[in-house]
Structure formats: structure tokens, C-alpha cells
């Protein structure tokens, strides 16, 4: 599967290209800064710095952009842990246990764990890319609309796992999320819920809505506190604690590898990517943990599972980009822009004709993961100081940054209005125990589910037995049924067992 | 008495939320149906709307039953706190959300710079800041730097009143 001669050429390419090694640390730093600032997403960073890649050779340009991707992927975990605001949508699940850890004064450890899991996740993602690039790209090509519907349905099962004791309310929230997510122009060109406003043609700004929904759940509640961490002793930034968290993550190898594999595989599916990967990995860690009750209350495993998956999904998304020329998300779409700027076309021909370049990209990213660990630790010393800032200064700044960031993202008032609407809705929903994560999952999966459901309907002329005629569909149905039935069966068996 | 009212208020609030959600679902399903009354258009919206409405009706019925069933309870003695602390701890979250709503609504009207400075100052006062000089300086700083960063670094034009 691995062409050793091409690997040798790739090493030569990397060794003889000093530019690549100059731009990688810069890219990582840019990604870290943009990831840390809520509202400023990684795709924004990549878009802002895309024109700079014109002055670079192709390999350096791609490594620079992937460095922003990698740095931003981890950077998003910092506000998720310290403020419960996911810096990127890929850090949603990191909030669940990272923020409770921060409130307990274990922010140093949590961030150290996130860094280790991100580093290992990136390594797993790109190592898998190296090994299974060609077979997985053939597999991805076989995923049609019916398969994508079932993948989205599997994603909706997360609502049940993350319901937190309010199952019916979670389904209602998920349903409302699905409906809001379908607002705007449908894939068949019909305008729904637009209120005749051209701003609503593209529907709801998902990123702004998600940041609003999550920010509301904690930022507003923090108004009554003076600091994020109440205990002044626990507020200190301790490199030793960050290092201890970093080391602790390596004691949970199995969890990191599982998260890495989940992230890589989900990352290969276009349109799903890191946002869903971190939720699936978190749900899987929680479902199989002996201490499932402590999830959501500051269980380190939650942080490790989420971060290893969102970082490894980057490698997965590169599969579809390199092998098929299909961008799996906004980040890879911008990378495709860099391809075009250098007159390179992604796809099967690109891999067969430029194996050395592909392996050089993979190798460069593996080195990037190591650099992320080193730069991350240095960067975190400054980032973690945020817990020492009194909330009377910190909260207004965070809110302003999220509002202005959402404005920069949308380029008009739709972003801030969506964010404020999401924040107020989140505050009310949280008050009445409607799980916010459920509405977020609905929002994220709405377009994927509706678009593919429509294509399946058209493909099968309304005959939904098509789901039972395709081998991958049947496999997916079996997995979904098992995922739904197994936890209940396991609980029954455990309950019957004598203590 | 205070507790009975807050208990009832809580359930009424929940019913209002359910009514709002139902209103949204019915309006959206109707709007989608009017836009195109074909299966293709309602493939997801139809079943999801029906499911959500049925579940919400179930919860609403349960809430009403609980409201009828729950008799008056003896009120506990509420802890006495000073006025400022009570406002911040009891209504801080709601006031913050209101400030955010007002901030976003005023941005296009009075400019991002002025709206941001006013929002930051109000939020700081809500959270206990009392040093006027510090509030003015900090809110001005937070209003200027991010707006300039968005305009200069990201090249996104921002409507302003004081800043160029």
C-alpha cells in the first residue's frame, strides 16, 4: 500500500525545502490564535492567509494551511475548556467535561490533556492517511445519498446518548434544531421560513447560532461570579499541571486511539467532519465507560475522547481532498483554493502522478503534530492566564469578540443577530432543562439529512426499500440497530447479575 | 407565598416556552407547505414537525396536570441579601442576555464602536465595577481594538460612528 520509493522522494522534498519549515510554525501560531478567539473560526484564518500562499511553492502552501488547520483545531479547545465557548464547532464536546474541570480548578490539566490528545489524534489521522489513502478513497466514492441519510440518522442517535436524563425534551430540542437548520433555500430551490428576507436565503448561520447557544449556557450564568475559578489557589497557571495533564492523556492510550480512529473515519465523509467526529467519540467514550455518571461533570476521558477525534478528522478530511478532490468542509475547501492557485487538481490522478508530494504533505503534518505539542505548551502558559482575569473584564471582552467574530464570519448583521438569538434561546432552554447539545446536533445535521433524503427519494422514485438493497446501507442499518439495542441489553444483563 | 408563585411561574414559563416552540413549528411547517406543497419539500419538515408537536403536547398536558395537582406549599424563609448582590445573582444572567440583545440591535444604529463601548460599560457595572475612569478607559479600549482588527486585518467594513 505504501510506495517506499515515493516515501524516499518525499523525505528528499521535505529536507530540501526550508520554506516549508519556516511557514509551518507560523501557521501553527496563526491557527492557535484564531482557534482561541471564539467566533473567529479556522476557515476564516485560512481564508485570510490564503493569498500569502501565492508566494510559496505548492508543498509549503499546503503545509502552511494544514498548520493553521492543526493549530486551530487544538486552539478551539482552549476557550471550550476555560469559558465553555467552543472556539470552533469541532470543540463542542470538549466543553462537556473540559469546562467542569476548569470550574474545579483543573484547567491546567484539562488543557494539557487536550494538547496531548490533539497531538496523538493528528498523528493517528495522518498515519492512517498514509496507509489507507487509496482503499478508503474508493470506499468514500461508494457512499451515495441513501448511505449519507443513514450516517446522518446515526448522528441523530447522539441526541439520545447526550440527553442527560431529559430524553423527550432532547428529542424536541433536536427536532427544533433540525427544523431551524432547514430554513432558507432547500436543495430543490424552495424558500422556506425566509420571511422574504434575502439574508435568510442561506438559512441560519450555524456557527454563530452554536456559539450563541453554548455561550449562553455558561457566560450569562457567570455574571454572578468574580472569577471563572472561585478558588484563588487553583487559578494559578502551573506548567507542571499542564505537563501532568499531558502525561495523563498518554495513560489513556486506548481512548486516544479509539478517538483517533473514529475521527479519521468520520472525517473522510464529506460534510460531516470534525464537528460530528468529536461528538461521536465523546458519546462512544461515555457509553463504554465504567464511570459514565461522571461524564459532563469533569471526567478527563471526555476531554481526551473529544480532542483526539476532532484532530484526527483533519487527516480523514485530507483523504477526500487529495484522493477525490472533494472538500469535506470549509477548511479543505480553502485548501482546494490553494490547489487551484497553484494549478493543481486534486483527485485520483493527482495521487498516482504526485505520490512524493502526497507523502511529503503527510510527513510534514506528522512533524507538525510534534511541533504542535512543543508550541502548544509554550502558548498555553499565556492562554491559561485567562482564568486569572476578573470576570468583570473578561466576560464583556468574550461577548464582544464572539459578536464581532460572528459579524466577520457572515460579513453582515445576520451573524450577530443569530448569535444573540441563539444566546437568549440557549439561556431559556437551559433554564427549562432542554439539552442544548440536542438542538446543536439537529442544526448540524439538518442540511445533510434533508438533502440526501431528497436525493434518495428521487433516486428510488419514492421507494424507500432502497435502504435494504445496498450492502453499505444494510451494514449501516445493522450498526444503528446494534447501537440502539446494545446499551439497553447490556444494562439488563448487568441488572440481572448478582452483586 | 413567594415559593408558590415562583413554582407556578416556573410551570407557566415552561408552558409559554412550549407554546412559542409550537407556534414556530406550526408557522414554519405552514410556510414550507405554502412554498411548495409536494412530498419532496415536506420529506423531513412534515414528519419532524408532527413528532415535535405531539411530544410538546404531551409535556404541556403533564405540566398542566402538575399545576392542578400541586397544592399550596409552605413558603421557606428566603435568605436576606443586600440589594446589589440580589440583582446581580438573581437577575445577572437575564440582564446580561438583555444587554446582549440591546447591543446587537443598536450596532447598526449607533455604530459598532459606540454600541460596543456602551455594552462593555453596562456589563462591567452589572458585574460590580464601580471605578468610572477604569470603566470608561476599558470600554473604549475594547470598542476600538477589535473593530480596528476586523477592519484592518480581515478587511471587513464595519459601520462606526466615532472611529474613521
Amino acid at each position: 500500500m505504501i510506495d517506499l520509493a515515493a516515501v524516499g522522494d518525499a523525505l528528499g522534498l521535505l529536507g530540501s525545502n526550508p520554506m516549508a519549515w519556516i511557514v509551518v510554525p507560523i501557521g501553527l501560531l496563526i491557527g492557535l490564535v484564531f482557534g482561541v478567539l471564539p467566533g473567529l473560526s479556522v476557515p476564516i484564518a485560512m481564508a485570510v492567509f490564503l493569498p500569502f500562499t501565492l508566494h510559496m511553492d505548492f508543498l509549503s502552501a499546503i503545509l502552511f494551511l494544514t498548520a493553521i488547520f492543526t493549530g486551530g483545531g487544538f486552539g478551539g479547545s482552549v476557550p471550550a475548556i476555560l469559558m465553555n465557548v467552543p472556539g470552533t464547532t469541532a470543540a463542542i464536546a470538549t466543553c462537556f467535561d473540559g469546562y467542569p474541570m476548569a470550574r474545579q480548578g483543573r484547567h491546567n490539566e484539562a488543557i494539557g490533556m487536550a494538547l496531548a490528545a490533539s497531538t496523538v489524534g493528528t498523528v493517528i489521522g495522518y498515519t492512517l492517511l498514509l496507509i489507507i489513502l487509496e482503499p478508503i478513497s474508493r470506499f468514500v466514492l461508494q457512499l451515495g445519498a441513501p448511505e449519507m441519510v443513514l450516517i446522518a440518522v446515526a448522528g441523530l442517535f447522539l441526541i439520545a446518548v447526550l440527553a442527560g436524563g431529559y430524553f423527550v425534551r432532547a428529542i424536541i430540542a433536536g427536532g427544533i434544531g433540525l427544523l431551524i437548520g432547514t430554513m432558507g433555500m432547500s436543495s430543490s430551490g424552495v424558500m422556506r421560513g425566509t420571511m422574504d428576507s434575502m439574508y435568510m436565503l442561506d438559512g441560519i448561520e450555524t456557527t454563530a447560532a452554536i456559539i450563541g447557544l453554548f455561550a449562553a449556557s455558561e457566560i450569562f450564568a457567570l455574571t454572578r461570579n468574580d472569577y471563572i475559578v472561585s478558588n484563588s489557589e487553583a487559578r494559578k497557571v502551573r506548567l507542571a499541571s499542564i505537563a501532568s495533564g499531558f502525561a495523563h492523556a498518554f495513560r489513556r492510550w486506548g481512548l486516544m486511539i479509539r478517538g483517533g480512529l473514529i475521527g479519521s473515519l468520520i472525517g473522510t465523509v464529506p460534510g460531516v467532519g470534525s464537528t460530528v467526529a468529536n461528538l461521536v467519540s465523546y458519546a462512544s467514550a461515555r457509553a463504554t465507560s465504567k464511570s459514565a455518571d461522571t461524564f459532563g461533570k469533569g471526567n478527563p476521558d471526555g476531554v481526551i475522547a473529544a480532542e483526539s477525534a476532532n484532530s484526527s478528522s483533519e487527516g480523514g478530511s485530507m483523504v477526500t481532498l487529495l484522493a477525490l478532490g472533494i472538500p469535506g468542509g470549509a477548511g479543505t475547501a480553502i485548501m482546494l483554493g490553494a490547489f487551484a492557485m497553484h494549478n493543481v487538481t486534486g483527485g485520483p490522478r493527482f495521487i498516482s502522478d504526485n505520490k512524493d508530494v502526497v507523502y511529503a504533505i503527510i510527513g510534514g503534518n506528522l512533524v507538525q503534530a510534534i511541533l504542535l505539542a512543543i508550541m502548544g505548551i509554550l502558548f498555553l502558559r499565556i492562554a491559561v492566564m485567562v482564568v486569572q482575569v476578573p470576570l468583570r473584564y473578561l466576560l464583556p471582552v468574550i461577548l464582544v469578540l464572539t459578536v464581532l467574530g460572528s459579524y466577520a464570519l457572515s460579513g453582515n448583521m445576520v451573524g450577530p443577530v443569530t448569535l444573540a438569538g441563539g444566546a437568549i434561546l440557549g439561556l431559556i432552554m437551559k433554564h427549562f432543562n432542554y439539552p442544548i447539545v440536542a438542538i446543536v446536533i439537529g442544526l448540524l445535521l439538518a442540511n445533510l439529512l434533508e438533502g440526501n433524503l431528497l436525493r434518495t427519494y428521487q433516486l428510488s422514485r419514492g421507494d424507500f426499500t432502497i435502504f435494504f438493497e445496498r450492502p453499505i446501507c444494510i451494514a449501516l442499518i445493522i450498526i444503528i440497530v446494534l447501537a440502539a439495542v446494545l446499551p439497553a441489553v447490556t444494562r439488563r444483563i448487568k441488572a440481572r447479575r448478582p452483586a | 407565598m413567594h415559593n408558590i408563585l415562583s413554582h407556578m411561574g416556573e410551570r407557566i414559563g415552561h408552558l409559554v416556552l412550549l407554546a412559542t416552540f409550537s407556534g414556530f413549528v406550526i408557522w414554519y411547517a405552514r410556510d414550507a407547505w405554502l412554498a411548495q406543497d409536494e412530498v419532496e419539500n415536506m420529506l423531513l419538515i412534515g414528519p419532524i414537525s408532527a413528532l415535535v408537536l405531539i411530544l410538546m403536547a404531551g409535556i404541556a398536558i403533564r405540566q398542566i396536570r402538575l399545576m392542578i395537582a400541586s397544592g399550596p406549599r409552605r413558603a421557606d424563609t428566603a435568605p436576606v441579601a443586600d440589594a446589589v448582590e440580589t440583582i446581580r445573582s438573581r437577575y445577572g444572567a437575564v440582564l446580561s442576555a438583555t444587554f446582549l440583545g440591546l447591543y446587537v440591535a443598536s450596532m447598526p444604529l449607533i455604530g459598532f464602536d459606540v454600541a460596543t463601548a456602551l455594552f462593555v460599560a453596562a456589563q462591567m457595572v452589572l458585574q460590580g465595577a464601580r471605578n468610572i475612569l477604569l470603566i470608561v478607559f476599558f470600554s473604549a479600549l475594547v470598542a476600538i481594538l477589535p473593530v480596528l482588527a476586523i477592519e484592518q486585518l480581515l478587511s471587513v467594513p464595519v459601520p462606526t460612528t466615532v472611529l474613521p
Side-chain angles (χ1 to χ4, degrees):
Chain A
M1 270 190 246
I2 300 174
D3 184 339
L4 290 176
V7 171
D9 291 344
L11 290 174
L13 262 177
L14 284 171
S16 62
N17 194 339
M19 180 64 148
W21 301 113
I22 295 169
V23 295
V24 162
I26 298 170
L28 280 172
L29 194 65
I30 292 167
L32 282 167
V33 172
F34 271 73
V36 163
L37 295 173
L40 290 181
S41 62
V42 179
I44 286 188
M46 292 169 79
V48 167
F49 290 95
L50 180 65
F52 291 88
T53 60
L54 255 183
H55 309 287
M56 302 172 192
D57 60 283
F58 178 68
L59 179 61
S60 304
I62 295 302
L63 286 180
F64 175 65
L65 291 175
T66 54
I68 297 177
F69 210 168
T70 308
F74 165 66
S77 70
V78 176
I81 290 168
L82 298 181
M83 294 169 260
N84 202 39
V85 180
T88 64
T89 50
I92 291 170
T94 313
C95 295
F96 301 159
D97 281 289
Y99 183 67
M101 283 185 79
R103 293 303 305 269
Q104 294 158 13
R106 295 159 67 202
H107 48 278
N108 292 301
E109 282 172 68
I111 280 185
M113 280 170 202
L115 179 61
S118 291
T119 306
V120 172
T122 308
V123 170
I124 291 173
Y126 279 98
T127 308
L128 272 180
L129 176 64
L130 181 73
I131 300 167
I132 57 166
L133 180 62
E134 287 179 63
I136 200 94
S137 60
R138 278 197 294 273
F139 173 76
V140 170
L141 272 182
Q142 289 176 1
L143 294 179
E147 286 81 7
M148 294 300 282
V149 168
L150 291 170
I151 286 170
V153 169
L156 286 177
F157 265 74
L158 290 169
I159 291 176
V161 181
L162 303 172
Y166 292 94
F167 185 64
V168 176
R169 294 182 196 200
I171 294 177
I172 292 173
I176 301 264
L178 276 174
L179 292 176
I180 295 175
T182 56
M183 286 169 88
M185 193 184 282
S186 73
S187 40
S188 57
V190 182
M191 285 184 279
R192 292 101 40 112
T194 56
M195 292 167 276
D196 295 327
S197 166
M198 66 164 196
Y199 294 115
M200 282 296 292
L201 285 182
D202 285 337
I204 294 288
E205 277 283 338
T206 314
T207 309
I210 289 170
I211 290 175
L213 283 161
F214 271 95
S217 58
E218 281 304 330
I219 285 188
F220 293 150
L222 277 176
T223 310
R224 64 177 73 109
N225 297 8
D226 290 324
Y227 289 91
I228 292 175
V229 180
S230 311
N231 184 350
S232 62
E233 190 55 29
R235 276 201 292 271
K236 288 182 179 153
V237 178
R238 290 193 179 89
L239 203 57
S241 296
I242 296 176
S244 139
F246 192 88
H248 173 88
F250 284 93
R251 286 199 284 275
R252 305 291 290 135
W253 263 111
L255 198 62
M256 282 203 285
I257 291 174
R258 188 171 62 187
L261 291 175
I262 289 173
S264 306
L265 291 176
I266 295 179
T268 56
V269 183
V272 180
S274 56
T275 310
V276 175
N278 77 110
L279 288 165
V280 173
S281 175
Y282 179 86
S284 143
R286 181 177 159 161
T288 54
S289 172
K290 285 176 187 162
S291 51
D293 297 346
T294 60
F295 272 74
K297 295 170 189 161
N299 189 326
D301 285 0
V303 176
I304 296 169
E307 279 300 306
S308 52
N310 70 14
S311 302
S312 63
S313 64
E314 180 191 327
S317 66
M318 291 296 284
V319 170
T320 45
L321 179 72
L322 294 172
L324 308 173
I326 301 170
T332 39
I334 291 162
M335 260 187 245
L336 203 61
F339 273 53
M341 281 164 70
H342 289 85
N343 292 323
V344 175
T345 311
R349 288 283 305 202
F350 172 69
I351 293 184
S352 56
D353 294 351
N354 301 284
K355 263 193 181 157
D356 52 345
V357 177
V358 173
Y359 285 148
I361 292 171
I362 295 169
N365 273 283
L366 290 172
V367 179
Q368 243 175 50
I370 315 292
L371 276 175
L372 172 71
I374 298 163
M375 288 185 66
I377 283 188
L378 298 174
F379 181 79
L380 286 178
R381 253 186 91 80
I382 304 159
V384 176
M385 280 179 187
V386 98
V387 295
Q388 296 178 332
V389 180
L391 283 170
R392 70 181 59 153
Y393 302 113
L394 189 63
L395 280 197
V397 173
I398 296 168
L399 286 168
V400 165
L401 285 179
T402 52
V403 169
L404 294 181
S406 65
Y407 180 82
L409 198 68
S410 59
N412 53 42
M413 282 305 292
V414 172
V417 170
T418 310
L419 186 132
I424 293 164
L425 179 66
L427 186 71
I428 298 167
M429 286 180 67
K430 195 184 179 228
H431 181 79
F432 291 106
N433 297 315
Y434 284 83
I436 286 168
V437 67
I439 194 169
V440 168
I441 291 170
L443 265 172
L444 290 171
L445 293 175
N447 283 327
L448 183 79
L449 183 58
E450 195 191 29
N452 285 295
L453 198 58
L454 177 65
R455 277 187 280 280
T456 306
Y457 181 82
Q458 288 167 337
L459 198 72
S460 64
R461 296 170 190 247
D463 179 10
F464 284 114
T465 54
I466 190 172
F467 287 113
F468 302 98
E469 290 165 3
R470 298 162 72 104
I472 298 176
C473 277
I474 293 169
L476 283 168
I477 289 170
I478 292 169
I479 291 169
I480 290 170
V481 171
L482 283 178
V485 172
L486 267 184
V489 173
T490 318
R491 267 199 302 275
R492 281 207 159 187
I493 292 170
K494 274 185 187 168
R496 278 188 188 177
R497 241 182 236 162
Chain B
M1 191 64 197
H2 171 79
N3 267 18
I4 299 167
L5 285 176
S6 79
H7 198 65
M8 289 284 279
E10 199 60 13
R11 296 210 189 286
I12 291 169
H14 195 175
L15 286 173
V16 170
L17 177 70
L18 288 170
T20 313
F21 277 168
S22 305
F24 163 74
V25 173
I26 293 166
W27 165 78
Y28 182 54
R30 185 177 172 275
D31 192 70
W33 178 258
L34 290 176
Q36 194 188 58
D37 56 353
E38 285 175 21
V39 179
E40 283 92 334
N41 189 40
M42 301 302 288
L43 213 51
L44 184 70
I45 296 171
I48 295 291
S49 301
L51 174 72
V52 169
L53 285 174
I54 290 166
L55 291 176
M56 284 196 293
I59 291 187
I61 291 167
R62 190 176 141 75
Q63 290 295 316
I64 292 166
R65 275 188 182 166
L66 284 170
M67 259 170 79
I68 295 165
S70 62
R73 292 180 188 180
R74 232 187 74 186
D76 296 330
T77 317
V80 180
D82 66 280
V84 175
E85 197 52 39
T86 305
I87 289 171
R88 188 177 153 195
S89 58
R90 281 184 70 104
Y91 305 111
V94 177
L95 282 172
S96 259
T98 311
F99 288 167
L100 182 69
L102 289 173
Y103 169 44
V104 169
S106 65
M107 282 166 90
L109 304 172
I110 57 174
F112 281 31
D113 44 0
V114 177
T116 302
L118 289 176
F119 170 71
V120 173
Q123 190 69 33
M124 284 177 80
V125 171
L126 174 69
Q127 290 185 253
R130 294 293 177 264
N131 185 333
I132 294 171
L133 267 179
L134 192 67
I135 293 170
V136 171
F137 173 75
F138 190 74
S139 53
L141 192 74
V142 177
I144 294 166
L145 290 182
V147 169
L148 284 181
I150 287 182
E151 281 199 320
Q152 303 301 320
L153 281 177
L154 305 181
S155 306
V156 177
V158 178
T160 52
T161 303
V162 178
L163 289 172

